[in-house]
Amino acid sequence: YRESKLTRLLKDALGGNGMTVLLACVSPADTNFDETVNTLRFASRASSVVNKAKVNMDNSCNTDNIALLKEVQSLKQQLETLQAKCATDN
């Protein structure tokens, strides 16, 4: 299972936070018996893979949010100052 070419191709989809659908194509023909059995074995093993999903968090977003909130607060103070100045000039 670990050495399968198909597993290597699907390694990003089979692990992590991805959702994967595996469609196993089988044939009722006697000539395809070995291939069908191998496909079903792979599908069985692949369906038993269990991953723990975790939230992908980027801590830089929190820093950016804090910086933006500080800038908004500063701009609000500037606006209030300018509005007060305009009110006293009129």
Side-chain angles (χ1 to χ4, degrees), residues 4 18 36 42:
S4 169
T36 296
F42 176 81

Side-chain angles (χ1 to χ4, degrees), residues 13-84:
L14 292 174
N17 296 335
M19 298 276 297
T20 305
V21 175
L22 178 67
L23 179 64
C25 297
V26 297
S27 172
D30 292 340
T31 57
N32 296 329
F33 178 76
D34 291 334
E35 190 67 29
T36 296
V37 169
N38 287 336
T39 301
L40 291 173
R41 284 183 184 151
F42 176 81
S44 176
R45 288 190 307 264
S47 68
S48 66
V49 173
V50 177
N51 291 309
K52 294 181 181 177
K54 60 181 180 177
V55 177
N56 296 328
M57 293 291 293
D58 185 9
N59 290 336
S60 66
C61 290
N62 291 338
T63 307
D64 292 342
N65 287 345
I66 291 170
L68 289 172
L69 288 173
K70 286 181 180 179
E71 185 176 357
V72 167
Q73 185 177 5
S74 172
L75 290 171
K76 283 182 178 180
Q77 288 175 349
Q78 288 178 14
L79 178 63
E80 288 175 4
T81 304
L82 289 172
Q83 285 177 339

